Amino acid sequence: MTLATRIDRHLSRIHDARPRVSGHLTRVVGLTFEAVGVRAAIGSLCAVETSIGEVIAEVVGFDDDIIYLMPHDDAHGVLPGARVRPLSRRAGVPLGMELLGRVIDGSGNPLDDKGPVVTTHHALSERQKMNPLIRRPIREPLDVGVTAINGLITVGQGQRMGLFAGSGVGKSVLMGMMTRGTTADVIVVGLIGERGREVKEFIEDILGEDGLGRAVVVASPADQSPLMRLRGCETAAQIAEYFRDQGLNVLLLLDSLTRYAMAQREIALAIGEPPATKGYPPSVFAKLPALVERAGNGGPGQGSITAFYTVLTEGDDLQDPIADAARAILDGHIVLSRQLAESGHYPAIDVEASVSRVMPQVVSPEHLQHAMAIKQLYSTYQRSRDLISIGAYSRGSDPRVDKAIQLMPLMDRYLQQGMLDISPYDDCVTVLGQLAQQANAR
């Protein structure tokens, strides 16, 4: 294209101030539509004509006169040159106490059989970022009903924690335990990229009727488009923000942060963004902190969002790019061990590899001292475990190892918990103190 042609095209755009009403498709590449003749902003919705009706697509990028759209659902029956027309502003996600006990998708549409979601408020626009100096500091512990977390990896109200694990080691069960046992006012659960069977099982078997009564579940199963999986995470965060702004303490459980990153990777690669780290484009690592920073304590008169983000570690590799990036932006991490899970130790929390960065600010000095004493004793046993198991260790060689062998059955009993059991925070701290006294006894 010559310089004169470019100038003529630019002048014609200036003179033609009237927005174009509709355009047409020129190409379909993978999951992406390319259209010309339509003016629409990134994030806006368009209706794409097909042989069986219209499908809704969202603008995800543009290149000169070409705009890139990604459909919300399967786009069967799309024809060459299909008409594309921009839609008015989306209705927004419904917000209100009426959401409690409901299961919705990423757009706020109900997935259960309880009728439409009727609320008085809707999220019509993107939320403004919160000034970090307005946020209250994290000073109060949050009871999650799990002994190992309450006692040794104490979580504070407004903290953002990562739940790192491979597949099949009990992430969903642990999330259900926290949902039933927490003292938070409202629970928001995001099930992103899960198999459809697992969504129903989590709601009926793990969450249960009592847990669902004060929870909102946002589900975007694996068979949905990457755009809807991305929207599911953001919708869950938006709902949690609404309840926090009402002065409530919210527990946000998002499963999983990895699938959120994978959905953004699919979208970014489809519109031509170059891959950077192990196939992940730079936009992925920009979106992760933007999502995580939406949780936390609010300002004066507001509540808090305590968030747990599950992170899938491929082959139990904690150096995966998403796992490594998540550790840097979260306030701590809980690692689930496949070895513990295979030995029948549930929840399979590796207390050595797990840490809560705000624990010193939310517990008493005695509680912190007791937790350190038990973790040190547990670590001592693990370092000598091979020698102990083959009978190569002689009692009396090391007093610390002797004490660890003596107390290991009690520590194992303390760290294990039934799926339906709830351990109140005060009881966890009391039993931990009794264990620490035995550990320090001569």
Side-chain angles (χ1 to χ4, degrees):
M1 184 185 300
T2 65
L3 178 60
T5 304
R6 291 183 179 179
I7 293 174
D8 290 338
R9 291 182 61 178
H10 179 68
L11 291 175
S12 66
R13 292 175 191 162
I14 295 176
H15 292 305
D16 185 14
R18 185 176 55 189
R20 301 173 187 174
V21 176
S22 63
H24 63 276
L25 289 184
T26 58
R27 193 164 67 143
V28 177
V29 181
L31 301 175
T32 311
F33 298 161
E34 295 183 7
V36 296
V38 57
R39 296 173 66 93
I42 291 179
S44 60
L45 300 181
C46 294
V48 180
E49 187 180 31
T50 72
S51 60
I52 55 176
E54 289 185 333
V55 297
I56 303 301
E58 184 171 324
V59 179
V60 294
F62 63 86
D63 181 8
D64 202 4
D65 287 338
I66 301 173
I67 65 168
Y68 301 112
L69 304 107
M70 187 163 287
H72 284 184
D73 299 309
D74 293 334
H76 295 299
V78 176
L79 301 172
R83 182 171 174 261
V84 179
R85 60 183 181 87
L87 299 176
S88 58
R89 180 182 297 181
R90 66 181 72 192
V93 177
L95 300 174
M97 301 303 293
E98 297 84 357
L99 285 170
L100 296 179
R102 301 302 304 266
V103 183
I104 62 175
D105 64 11
S107 299
N109 302 313
L111 295 177
D112 49 24
D113 56 355
K114 300 178 181 179
V117 180
V118 180
T119 61
T120 56
H121 297 86
H122 287 79
L124 297 179
S125 60
E126 293 294 329
R127 182 179 177 85
Q128 296 295 323
K129 296 180 181 179
M130 182 178 291
N131 185 337
L133 298 182
I134 296 178
R135 293 184 185 269
R136 301 189 315 278
I138 301 173
R139 291 291 183 265
E140 297 292 330
L142 178 71
D143 186 357
V144 296
V146 180
T147 307
I149 299 177
N150 282 344
L152 300 179
I153 322 164
T154 309
V155 177
Q157 289 184 7
Q159 185 174 359
R160 290 80 57 90
M161 291 286 286
L163 197 58
F164 291 73
S167 57
V169 294
K171 295 187 304 299
S172 298
V173 174
L174 181 57
M175 288 174 60
M177 293 171 64
M178 289 190 290
T179 302
R180 291 189 301 271
T182 184
T183 56
D185 301 314
V186 174
I187 301 101
V188 180
V189 182
L191 301 176
I192 311 303
E194 295 280 359
R195 293 182 288 272
R197 173 186 61 82
E198 291 181 331
V199 173
K200 188 173 180 64
E201 288 179 356
F202 180 87
I203 295 170
E204 295 185 353
D205 301 336
I206 298 177
L207 189 59
E209 186 176 349
D210 293 338
L212 183 61
R214 58 182 178 133
V216 183
V217 178
V218 181
S220 293
D223 60 345
Q224 292 192 351
S225 69
L227 196 62
M228 292 304 295
R229 280 179 269 141
L230 200 73
R231 189 75 60 234
C233 292
E234 295 169 353
T235 296
Q238 203 164 33
I239 293 173
E241 287 174 328
Y242 169 80
F243 287 117
R244 178 187 63 190
D245 294 345
Q246 307 308 307
L248 301 176
N249 293 322
V250 183
L251 178 63
L252 172 63
L253 304 173
L254 193 59
D255 184 14
S256 72
L257 198 65
T258 304
R259 294 193 178 105
Y260 175 80
M262 289 179 174
Q264 174 60 24
R265 177 175 64 178
E266 291 181 47
I267 295 172
L269 294 178
I271 63 176
E273 186 178 351
T277 306
K278 290 191 176 180
Y280 287 98
S283 62
V284 172
F285 301 99
K287 275 189 168 290
L288 287 178
L291 177 69
V292 169
E293 282 297 320
R294 298 178 71 167
N297 283 334
Q302 296 180 334
S304 64
I305 302 176
T306 307
F308 284 83
Y309 303 93
T310 66
V311 180
L312 301 175
T313 52
E314 298 180 6
D316 298 325
D317 178 17
L318 295 179
Q319 303 308 315
D320 176 83
I322 301 303
D324 192 50
R327 272 198 309 271
I329 59 179
L330 294 171
D331 302 324
H333 52 272
I334 297 172
V335 178
L336 299 187
S337 167
R338 186 173 300 278
Q339 182 180 1
L340 289 175
E342 290 172 348
S343 65
H345 184 291
Y346 287 102
I349 298 175
D350 187 345
V351 295
E352 290 182 282
S354 305
V355 64
S356 171
R357 295 179 185 174
V358 305
M359 184 175 177
Q361 285 79 46
V362 300
V363 301
S364 66
E366 293 79 12
H367 180 179
L368 185 62
Q369 184 178 1
H370 295 161
M372 291 300 103
I374 295 303
K375 291 184 75 171
Q376 289 170 5
L377 201 63
Y378 185 87
S379 180
T380 298
Y381 182 88
Q382 296 301 326
R383 286 198 301 268
S384 305
R385 183 170 186 166
D386 291 340
L387 293 176
I388 297 170
S389 60
I390 65 175
Y393 175 77
S394 300
R395 287 184 178 270
S397 302
D398 187 336
R400 292 291 298 172
V401 177
D402 293 342
K403 182 65 72 172
I405 294 173
Q406 177 189 345
L407 293 182
M408 194 61 197
L410 296 178
M411 289 190 290
D412 266 341
R413 193 181 309 161
Y414 180 78
L415 295 174
Q416 295 184 57
Q417 185 174 340
M419 186 178 81
L420 300 178
D421 296 338
I422 296 175
S423 299
Y425 178 80
D426 292 338
D427 293 351
C428 298
V429 175
T430 300
V431 177
L432 180 67
Q434 296 171 355
L435 271 178
Q437 288 179 359
Q438 297 184 54
N440 294 327
R442 297 291 182 182

